[in-house]
């Protein structure tokens, strides 16, 4: 009996210690917390966790690479645990910092790090992009659709290639125009350039343009709305931004990833390794709500649902650009 009581006291002490060590922190990617896209989705996940658990968290929105690395180091140094690094841009920082804090749990989103205290959260963006590409080609009246990516990197080519494959599945003769905003981190927060690229694509006949460009994507959505053409949002559900003009959004559930990261660490269920999320895991998909419902025909709805089933079953294999850095579409 005495041993049992002592064991219970020890367990209670361990639980108290674990609870005391749980201080979650989040470092956004560049582009701003309220970009209505990737970063804001993460913020919404963190806020939901706070609302559900009553646990506060700390966050930081860097404007450059040096600030991001310093924020990750500062949070770890101050005892925050876990630390979520929300961008492939923080890979080298986490690779450098994680070994210095072996008892801190790190999560990196959109890249992979092999370390005993790092979980890598990646998404099958090509699968969600396939679905919206299918819808784009079915909606197009000109037979041409566009893609405006943010930073010209393999990750964003994953979006563009999946989109092209989906569009070709709907219409083998569709023309696909592709541009990128830039080659540095500034490409995520340049809606003016993104808008100009969109206008250029529309001048070439594109009447549906997919934005995979963070805050820059708002320029795509605005330009398409001004021209009374269609756009496709990304990461967050952006259908509400220009109702009647945003055909749909490729939702990438970064909100769920952040929420689940915080919860796993809180519950003592952290696991290092790769956590890959696709259509089957509700990690990516397409947005259908009151804002775009009038734009989606029954034929389009049936086609996209059939495509989802095909991706989950393996009947449809969506090409992952990051595997070989090529796009056959």
């Amino acid at each position: 009996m005495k041993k049992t009581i002592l064991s219970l006291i020890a367990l209670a002490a361990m639980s108290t210690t674990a609870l005391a060590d749980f201080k979650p922190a989040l470092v956004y990617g560049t582009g701003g917390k309220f970009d209505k896209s990737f970063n804001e989705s993460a913020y919404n996940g963190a806020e939901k966790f706070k609302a559900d658990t009553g646990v506060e968290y700390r966050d930081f929105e860097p404007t450059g690479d040096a600030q991001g690395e310093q924020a990750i180091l500062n949070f770890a140094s101050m005892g925050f645990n876990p630390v979520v690094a929300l961008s492939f841009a923080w890979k080298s920082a986490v690779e450098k910092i994680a070994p210095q804090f072996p008892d801190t749990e790190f999560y990196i989103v959109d890249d992979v790090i092999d370390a005993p205290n790092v979980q890598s959260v990646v998404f099958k963006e090509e699968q969600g992009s396939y679905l919206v590409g299918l819808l784009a080609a079915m909606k197009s009246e000109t037979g041409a659709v566009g893609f405006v990516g943010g930073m010209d990197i393999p990750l964003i080519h994953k979006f563009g290639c999946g989109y092209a494959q989906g569009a070709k599945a709907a219409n083998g003769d569709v023309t696909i125009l592709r541009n990128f905003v830039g080659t540095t981190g500034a490409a995520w927060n340049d809606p003016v350039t993104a808008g100009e690229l969109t206008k250029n694509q529309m001048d070439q006949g594109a009447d549906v343009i997919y934005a995979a460009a963070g805050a820059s994507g708002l320029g795509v959505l605005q330009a398409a709305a001004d021209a009374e053409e269609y756009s496709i949002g990304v990461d967050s559900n952006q259908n509400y931004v220009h109702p009647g003009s945003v055909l749909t959004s490729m939702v990438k559930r970064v909100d769920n990833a952040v929420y689940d990261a915080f919860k796993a660490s809180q519950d003592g269920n952290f696991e290092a390794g790769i956590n890959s999320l696709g259509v089957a895991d509700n990690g990516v998909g397409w947005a259908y709500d009151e804002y775009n419902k009038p734009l989606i025909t029954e034929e389009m709805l049936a086609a996209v649902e059939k495509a989802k089933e095909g991706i989950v079953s393996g009947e449809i294999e969506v090409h992952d650009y990051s595997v070989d850095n090529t796009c056959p579409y």
Side-chain angles (χ1 to χ4, degrees), residues 243-257:
S245 176
V246 182
L247 179 64
T248 185
S249 298
M250 197 291 278
V251 287
K252 177 175 170 179
R253 300 308 302 269
V254 185
D255 54 342
N256 289 348

Side-chain angles (χ1 to χ4, degrees), residues 38 81 186 298:
F38 181 79
N81 190 10
E298 289 297 320

Side-chain angles (χ1 to χ4, degrees), residues 40-150:
E40 191 161 337
S41 179
Y43 166 76
N44 290 336
E47 284 292 295
K48 184 178 188 301
F49 178 83
K50 183 173 76 171
D52 288 353
T53 65
V55 176
E56 297 287 341
Y57 68 95
R58 285 279 299 278
D59 61 358
F60 184 80
E61 43 184 327
T63 58
D65 291 351
Q67 281 191 352
E69 179 173 341
Q70 191 60 50
I72 294 167
L73 177 60
N74 287 345
F75 281 138
S77 300
M78 292 187 290
F80 283 89
N81 190 10
V83 177
V84 178
L86 193 78
S87 173
F88 65 90
W90 313 137
K91 179 178 182 177
S92 61
V94 175
E95 285 179 325
K96 186 193 312 182
I97 296 167
Q100 301 174 40
F101 300 91
D103 296 327
T104 300
E105 297 168 356
F106 293 88
Y107 295 83
I108 183 150
V109 178
D110 277 352
D111 217 321
V112 175
I113 295 173
D114 183 12
N117 59 331
V118 179
Q119 182 180 119
S120 305
V121 183
V122 294
F123 293 84
K124 298 175 183 177
E125 295 92 353
E126 70 278 4
Q127 294 183 350
S129 297
Y130 179 100
L131 299 178
V132 300
L134 183 79
L135 292 170
M138 293 184 73
K139 191 66 175 179
S140 176
E141 295 181 357
T142 63
V145 299
F147 173 82
V148 176

